[in-house]
Amino acid sequence: MRILVIVAHPNIEQSRVNKRWLAELREYPDQISVQELYKAYPDYEINVENEQDLVAKHDRIVFQFPIQWYSMPALLKKWLDDVFTTSWLFGAGGKAVAGKELVLAMSIGGDESSYQSGGLIGYTISELIRPFQAFANQIGMTFLPHYKFYGAVKAKDDKIENSAPHYVEHISSPDLNPMIVRKRMLDEMSEASSNPL
Ligand SMILES: Cc1cc2nc3c(=O)[nH]c(=O)nc-3n(C[C@H](O)[C@H](O)[C@H](O)COP(=O)(O)O)c2cc1C
């Protein structure tokens, strides 16, 4: 499985969480490709063909970003708008990204307790990222469980440090797709019941 991580942090030098995650990604150059959007396109002039080629060459696409105003940083939104054109997506028989997987990995300033109904913010992360899910559904990508890190602003260094290998493990796991895990379980059950021994 070829994994592409689109890292979208407007100020990675000042970052703690995303910078540490990026360093961990760099440990696996054979399995994980990384595209740092704000480094590649400081002027916001995206090379659309280059990005479409990158996406086409990978099976699982990860968007890694800090939550900003309950959404994504501006350049990631522009990247989505520029790269995922209808002519590219549906031109060649609708096959450009169909069957690929999409995973989000987010650092979140607020605490987990705030992100629940009745909490300070009142909405869960799953609710807030519905537009990404709708986007994935629309273009035939499989939207997989996300990775998130709450309390990113005040987090202690060891919590950030511990998250880095968990993050890479999460996005690399072939078992991230619950439908595949369920199918395997059902196959195993039917194999066991058909075996008289
Ligand atoms: C412009 C801006 C908007 C932000 N909006 C939110 C927000 O809506 N919710 C939240 O929990 N944190 C918010 N934050 C905090 C960031 O999510 C937090 O600083 C980031 O996840 C920390 O990760 P880093 O160490 O990689 O920079 C915001 C930060 C900035 C700079």
Side-chain angles (χ1 to χ4, degrees):
M1 177 177 52
R2 294 156 305 174
I3 302 172
L4 170 66
V5 182
I6 302 293
V7 177
H9 194 297
N11 191 358
I12 198 80
E13 280 74 27
Q14 301 292 316
S15 155
R16 293 170 67 223
V17 179
N18 285 271
K19 189 156 88 176
R20 179 63 192 86
W21 288 359
L22 180 58
E24 192 73 13
L25 295 173
R26 299 276 192 213
E27 297 285 317
Y28 304 90
D30 295 339
Q31 293 101 312
I32 301 175
S33 313
V34 176
Q35 174 67 314
E36 265 193 275
L37 284 193
Y38 281 88
K39 283 267 145 51
Y41 303 113
D43 54 2
Y44 280 52
E45 288 301 319
I46 293 168
N47 180 334
V48 172
E49 214 170 292
N50 180 62
E51 300 302 306
Q52 289 174 341
D53 281 352
L54 257 184
V55 172
K57 284 191 188 117
H58 294 83
D59 309 300
R60 178 175 288 177
I61 316 298
V62 180
F63 296 163
Q64 177 194 317
F65 59 94
I67 286 278
Q68 294 197 331
W69 294 130
Y70 309 107
S71 184
M72 69 192 103
L75 186 53
L76 179 56
K77 179 62 167 65
K78 184 166 194 296
W79 183 87
L80 286 178
D81 293 347
D82 286 4
V83 174
F84 288 71
T85 58
T86 43
S87 56
W88 179 59
L89 288 171
F90 305 111
K95 295 275 187 260
V97 296
K100 294 185 189 295
E101 298 171 328
L102 179 62
V103 184
L104 304 187
M106 297 154 286
S107 62
I108 301 159
D111 297 327
E112 185 168 5
S113 59
S114 303
Y115 282 90
Q116 59 176 313
S117 56
L120 190 61
I121 289 158
Y123 302 97
T124 66
I125 291 297
S126 286
E127 287 170 323
L128 293 170
I129 61 176
R130 289 287 179 226
F132 287 99
Q133 189 170 10
F135 162 78
N137 291 347
Q138 175 86 24
I139 62 178
M141 292 181 83
T142 305
F143 192 66
L144 296 181
H146 56 268
Y147 187 83
K148 55 187 176 299
F149 186 101
Y150 290 109
V153 174
K154 295 185 189 154
K156 295 210 166 93
D157 289 345
D158 61 338
K159 190 180 166 206
I160 296 175
E161 191 58 33
N162 291 339
S163 72
H166 287 138
Y167 162 52
V168 169
E169 201 180 312
H170 181 96
I171 62 164
S172 314
S173 170
D175 284 349
L176 203 51
N177 187 336
M179 299 309 283
I180 288 179
V181 174
R182 195 170 79 144
K183 182 174 180 314
R184 194 189 311 135
M185 273 170 54
L186 290 172
D187 287 349
E188 282 166 9
M189 278 163 62
S190 95
E191 207 173 289
S193 66
S194 66
N195 184 348
L197 300 176

